[in-house]
Amino acid sequence: QVHLVESGGGLVRPGGSLQLTCSASGRSISNHAMAWYRQSPGKDREFVAAINWVGSYTRYSDSVQGRFAISRVNTNNTMYLQMTNLKSDDTGVYYCTLDADSRYTTTYTANYDYWGSGTQVTVAS
């Protein structure tokens, strides 16, 4: 079992920045791909970014490419999402997730096995 806890969300103005943190416990994240998803009001949960088991490969949704950066520190059992130039469309609950069966990234939501409870990000002036 893996317990994931997100932190770092909050209220930020358009153009601002936030860094989200995903802290894992119960199991090492070292051999597993991880990702960030988000869910905005009235919308389905959507893929944001993913990272492979050693952090050497990342992938992003088109909407955040060039503005967000995903990273991880396996020795700390932690993953991060650095968000810059935030827009109102980035508002939502952000979730971290882990793929228990693979080291490699995927955008297929069903592949992810463990989820945190989310952290709210609100971008508004």
Side-chain angles (χ1 to χ4, degrees):
Q1 283 285 350
V2 179
H3 183 56
L4 302 173
V5 178
E6 303 92 340
S7 61
L11 173 63
V12 63
R13 292 184 176 182
S17 300
L18 279 176
Q19 184 181 59
L20 305 184
T21 300
C22 174
S23 300
S25 60
R27 180 177 183 176
S28 172
I29 67 171
S30 298
N31 292 312
H32 304 284
M34 297 185 71
W36 288 96
Y37 278 71
R38 68 187 180 191
Q39 187 164 19
S40 304
K43 297 184 179 180
D44 293 334
R45 191 172 297 189
E46 65 171 348
F47 171 81
V48 173
I51 188 166
N52 72 349
W53 60 297
V54 290
S56 60
Y57 181 79
T58 58
R59 59 197 303 180
Y60 299 91
S61 67
D62 290 344
S63 62
V64 308
Q65 178 75 49
R67 300 187 298 120
F68 290 12
I70 188 172
S71 61
R72 63 192 294 163
V73 179
N74 287 343
T75 53
N76 290 344
N77 238 27
T78 304
M79 179 179 66
Y80 303 95
L81 185 68
Q82 178 67 46
M83 305 185 294
T84 62
N85 192 20
L86 283 160
K87 305 176 181 180
S88 57
D89 287 347
D90 296 318
T91 293
V93 178
Y94 283 69
Y95 299 91
C96 70
T97 183
L98 178 142
D99 185 341
D101 298 319
S102 178
R103 297 178 173 182
Y104 304 102
T105 63
T106 179
T107 61
Y108 188 45
T109 306
N111 279 21
Y112 291 102
D113 304 283
Y114 296 98
W115 295 81
S117 58
T119 185
Q120 175 71 45
V121 172
T122 303
V123 184
S125 53

